């Protein structure tokens, strides 16, 4: 398997290999190490490099196979989210003793929700496709910003006070949720 090797020299004491997308191998090496020593290191780790280049190619192929949502699908998700999320917001806001101004549903590539300083809540239309505990987590997360406009330990204590098991839906968003985000049309 052919691949490009990029050598980055620095004040480090050890050699390291990294496989990046596009079949590139990055070798991080000490400044004074010879090219011959680097070549020998690459030969020693040829099997590891081949395996990780194969994995990188597979990930790239999976990305290419992603079918984007259509405009009609996104509109339907937005309608569904607009029906489901306001009652959740009202319920949890009452339970938490907070008030918000308005709710907007958007198609966003980088956020599942946001809360403005004015108390406006924004939610990603793709929440319509998420499990109920994930929707609840995102709603509670944004409502907690009405108490703490940051992600400090106090903020996370607020989240945990309402949803003690919030880590599971949080992890779901990082893995399965990311797969949904990748299906949004437009630049990635």
């Amino acid at each position: 398997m052919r691949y490009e090797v990029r050598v980055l020299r620095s004040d480090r004491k050890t050699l390291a290999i990294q496989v990046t997308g596009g079949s590139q191998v990055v070798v991080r090496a000490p400044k004074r190490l010879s090219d011959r020593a680097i070549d020998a290191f690459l030969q020693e780790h040829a099997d590891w490099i081949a395996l990780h280049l194969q994995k990188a190619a597979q990930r790239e192929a999976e990305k290419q196979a992603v079918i984007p949502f259509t405009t009609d699908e996104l509109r339907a998700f937005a309608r569904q989210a607009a029906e489901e999320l306001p009652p959740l917001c009202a319920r949890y806001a009452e339970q938490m003793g907070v008030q918000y101004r308005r709710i907007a549903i958007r198609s966003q590539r980088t956020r599942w929700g946001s809360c403005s300083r004015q108390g406006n809540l924004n939610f990603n239309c793709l929440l319509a496709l998420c499990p109920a505990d994930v929707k609840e987590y995102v709603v509670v997360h944004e409502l907690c910003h009405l108490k703490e406009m940051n992600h400090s330990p106090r903020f996370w204590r607020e989240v945990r006070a309402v949803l003690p098991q919030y880590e599971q839906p949080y992890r779901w968003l990082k893995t399965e949720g990311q797969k949904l985000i990748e299906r949004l049309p437009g630049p990635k």
Side-chain angles (χ1 to χ4, degrees), residues 38-188:
I38 292 171
D39 288 341
F41 185 75
L42 287 167
Q43 287 301 315
E44 280 178 44
H45 294 85
D47 290 343
W48 184 93
I49 292 169
L51 174 67
H52 285 81
L53 283 169
Q54 183 181 9
K55 286 181 179 179
Q58 185 177 354
R59 281 192 303 272
E60 195 58 38
E62 288 170 0
K63 277 185 188 176
Q64 300 302 322
V66 169
I67 299 169
F69 291 118
T70 66
T71 303
D72 288 342
E73 286 174 318
L74 292 173
R75 284 189 189 122
F77 302 153
R79 282 191 301 274
Q80 183 180 340
E83 290 175 15
E84 295 175 347
L85 298 178
L88 275 178
C89 289
R91 186 176 99 215
Y92 279 108
E94 183 178 343
Q95 177 184 334
M96 296 167 62
V98 296
Q99 292 183 342
Y100 56 90
R101 287 184 44 194
R102 67 173 176 78
I103 296 172
I105 308 296
R106 295 189 164 87
S107 172
Q108 301 170 300
R109 295 199 67 78
T110 59
R111 296 177 183 217
W112 289 100
S114 63
C115 175
S116 73
R117 292 214 178 269
Q118 294 76 35
N120 297 321
L121 304 176
N122 298 299
F123 294 103
N124 194 316
C125 69
L126 297 180
L127 284 168
L129 301 174
C130 296
D133 65 331
V134 172
K135 293 174 192 171
E136 288 180 354
Y137 162 70
V138 174
V139 165
V140 167
H141 182 110
E142 298 313 327
L143 290 172
C144 284
H145 281 308
L146 295 170
K147 293 182 174 187
E148 290 288 329
M149 286 298 284
N150 54 52
H151 289 113
S152 67
R154 284 195 323 225
F155 168 82
W156 291 108
R157 278 195 297 275
E158 293 286 345
V159 174
R160 183 171 272 109
V162 180
L163 292 176
Q165 305 298 321
Y166 78 88
E167 291 97 344
Q168 185 175 344
Y170 175 86
R171 283 191 303 271
W172 190 95
L173 286 173
K174 295 290 185 194
T175 57
E176 301 308 309
Q178 186 56 38
K179 292 174 188 174
L180 294 174
I181 295 280
E182 288 170 1
R183 291 190 60 195
L184 285 172
K188 296 198 174 31

